[in-house]
Amino acid sequence: MGSLIRSTASLRMLATSARQGLSVRNSYALHRKYHASGTLKSAESSQSASQIISNADTFIMKAYSRPDIVLSHGKGSYVYDTNNNEYLDFTAGIAVVALGHGNADVAAVVADQATKLVHCSNLYHNIWAPKLARDIVTATTEAYPQGTQGIYAKGSDGTSGPRMFFTNSGTEANEGALKFARKYGKHVAESGSLGKSTSEALRGDPNLKCGIVSFTGGFHGRSMGALSVTANPKYQKPFAPLIPGVTTAEFNRTSELGAFVDERTCAVIVEPIQGEGGINAANVEFLQALRRRCDQVGALLIYDEIQCGIGRSGKLWAHQKYPSDCSPDIVTMAKPLANGIPIGAIMVSDKVANVINVGDHGTTFGGNPLACRVGCTVFGQIKEPAFLSNVETAGKVLDQELKQALAPYIGKIVVDIRGTGLLRGIQFSSDPSKIVGLAREKGLLLVGAGKNTIRLVPPLNTPVSDIKKGAGIIAECVKELAPEWN
């Protein structure tokens, strides 16, 4: 109860300062000063790490494997545990905290909006969802003027373009995209646009055009629909049977697309750069073939850019590194959009938006004013060319530092170093979990991925000095563990 009273007092203080005309950042500064004085210190913060972990073991389901540290706060590229140990964070909450921890702009917006309107549901309009939608659509089309297909195609009126639907997470965004594709498939089936014999068959039963194709190495989420298109037995087997109508093709293999993607396919879902699968980039020819085949059979091309999108690749979208004839019909996004405040979104082409009617889809929390206002702040910084250029530069430095430091081990215990921007991977010849553990002991947080790969996804504004420091710690760990490597 005491913590609640103190938190309420803090919000009252922020509200009062806002009424007095103080700026959002000044209001936040007052909040920080109030907090530093100890007035807001909660009883929970005095618990030991062992007590906290014991409570987690007792009251939280055992769905995660975590080290015995408890993180308490962060600043920039660093996080700190309850024992005041410092860690350089090359995980960023799994590619989420794009602007770093404890970001003053994000914190100020959260504090200010919390005193105004956090949630009102989609029964009513709010100020920030339309603004964020406009910002994303405008920035996307402006960053890729050569685009003419998919989301870049003009609508039937010659002017309208893509539209947005807000969700709460990446998984939910993918679920929505799959739903939209199923309805679009019925629309195509009923329109009779696929040739006489095919059209007659599909018109007789529009539900036949329901197939979804995904690819090996892909990861799209853990709810039933998203899990069904995530071709990993480790994730799928415990929950089978999954949704019907899903087939899995080989990633980056164009020769078999004709057999997998046919007139009964309503959608193809793929990550332009796979994250969880091991930092694997799609070949240009592969994405071009997907676009052509989807057009031939009236299927939608869905790009899951939840991890590789919104600046992570050094471009606003990873697919914008590819030619325009690779453009998607739907893009899903989430992770960095609000720097850790839960949000996701689906961007769909005009032709998809036109088949979705009132009541076809919905969400209670998606598009709430708090998340969307934070999204406006975060996206507003990431979309700037100078910011994206810095991501490119930092990524090149990371690549160079790793290749130079790990040169003696490449072709031996290091199989490959790959990636783009600040989405990088180091593939090892066997399980690199010992490197992850040793790096943590040395003050660097890393996260694994498929194919014995360590994934490097630091905050997008990580200073070059910290990029070099992280690469150096990785090199130290590899050097120490190399003699005992199997």
Side-chain angles (χ1 to χ4, degrees), residues 72-73 80-87:
S72 60
H73 62 288
Y80 303 85
D81 67 19
T82 51
N83 293 320
N84 294 319
N85 295 308
E86 179 183 82
Y87 304 90

Side-chain angles (χ1 to χ4, degrees), residues 7-31:
S7 297
T8 302
S10 175
L11 290 176
R12 286 173 179 165
M13 177 201 69
L14 286 168
T16 300
S17 62
R19 286 194 298 270
Q20 291 172 348
L22 294 177
S23 69
V24 171
R25 288 182 67 87
N26 286 340
S27 297
Y28 175 65
L30 281 177
H31 172 72

Side-chain angles (χ1 to χ4, degrees), residues 76-409:
S77 308
Y78 291 85
V79 291
Y80 303 85
D81 67 19
T82 51
N83 293 320
N84 294 319
N85 295 308
E86 179 183 82
Y87 304 90
L88 177 57
D89 186 7
F90 267 32
T91 71
I94 316 182
V96 169
V97 190
L99 300 186
H101 299 280
N103 182 275
D105 293 329
V106 171
V109 166
V110 170
D112 186 65
Q113 189 63 35
T115 68
K116 294 177 178 176
L117 186 67
V118 171
H119 176 75
C120 61
S121 85
N122 286 294
L123 293 173
Y124 311 99
H125 293 289
N126 71 70
I127 295 170
W128 297 102
K131 183 181 187 310
L132 180 56
R134 182 192 64 191
D135 289 353
I136 293 172
V137 167
T138 302
T140 298
T141 53
E142 288 180 350
Y144 201 68
Q146 65 269 43
T148 58
Q149 295 178 271
I151 59 172
Y152 301 99
K154 297 298 183 184
S156 56
D157 60 1
T159 58
S160 59
R163 300 184 200 177
M164 304 293 298
F165 185 96
F166 290 111
T167 70
N168 307 290
S169 68
T171 295
E172 188 182 327
N174 282 336
E175 289 283 349
L178 297 176
K179 277 185 68 177
F180 297 162
R182 281 278 175 90
K183 186 169 186 196
Y184 183 80
K186 293 178 188 292
H187 167 74
V188 172
E190 292 166 348
S191 70
S193 59
L194 294 177
K196 185 176 180 181
S197 59
T198 300
S199 295
E200 288 177 355
L202 293 177
R203 253 202 229 109
D205 185 1
N207 289 332
L208 291 175
K209 193 167 179 61
C210 66
I212 299 168
V213 177
S214 61
F215 296 93
T216 55
F219 182 86
H220 304 289
R222 303 203 186 232
S223 56
M224 290 303 286
L227 182 61
S228 298
V229 294
T230 296
N232 187 328
K234 179 177 72 173
Y235 300 137
Q236 289 186 335
K237 187 176 179 180
F239 305 101
L242 302 173
I243 68 169
V246 175
T247 55
T248 303
E250 191 73 23
F251 184 69
N252 269 338
R253 183 178 296 174
T254 61
S255 59
E256 60 186 29
L257 291 180
F260 281 89
V261 184
D262 60 24
E263 286 78 4
R264 295 192 178 193
T265 303
C266 70
V268 172
I269 184 167
V270 65
E271 296 165 90
I273 305 172
Q274 294 181 337
E276 171 79 14
I279 318 301
N280 311 303
N283 297 330
V284 171
E285 299 77 14
F286 177 66
L287 294 186
Q288 288 173 327
L290 279 180
R291 177 71 274 171
R292 283 195 304 271
R293 186 58 179 162
C294 285
D295 288 340
Q296 289 167 359
V297 302
L300 296 178
L301 180 56
I302 302 170
Y303 282 172
D304 177 342
E305 294 224 25
I306 289 162
Q307 184 159 174
C308 64
I310 312 184
R312 178 59 59 181
S313 70
K315 296 290 187 182
L316 185 58
W317 301 106
H319 76 261
Q320 292 180 339
K321 285 180 167 283
Y322 293 83
S324 60
D325 56 355
C326 300
S327 298
D329 298 298
I330 297 178
V331 177
T332 57
M333 65 199 77
K335 285 182 179 289
L337 185 52
N339 211 58
I341 299 297
I343 192 173
I346 313 163
M347 180 163 46
V348 306
S349 65
D350 183 78
K351 71 179 183 182
V352 178
N354 285 337
V355 305
I356 303 302
N357 300 319
V358 172
D360 280 345
H361 197 45
T363 169
T364 298
F365 294 102
N368 70 74
L370 176 64
C372 287
R373 184 175 175 188
V374 177
C376 288
T377 296
V378 175
F379 188 83
Q381 294 187 31
I382 294 176
K383 71 180 178 64
E384 292 299 321
F387 187 99
L388 295 170
S389 178
N390 287 337
V391 174
E392 286 267 24
T393 299
K396 289 176 181 176
V397 170
L398 180 56
D399 185 62
Q400 292 166 359
E401 292 286 318
L402 289 171
K403 287 179 176 176
Q404 180 177 344
L406 298 178
Y409 310 100

Side-chain angles (χ1 to χ4, degrees), residues 31-48:
H31 172 72
R32 287 289 297 268
K33 182 178 180 181
Y34 190 58
H35 189 284
S37 71
T39 308
L40 289 176
K41 186 175 181 181
S42 67
E44 287 79 5
S45 65
S46 64
Q47 286 186 313
S48 68

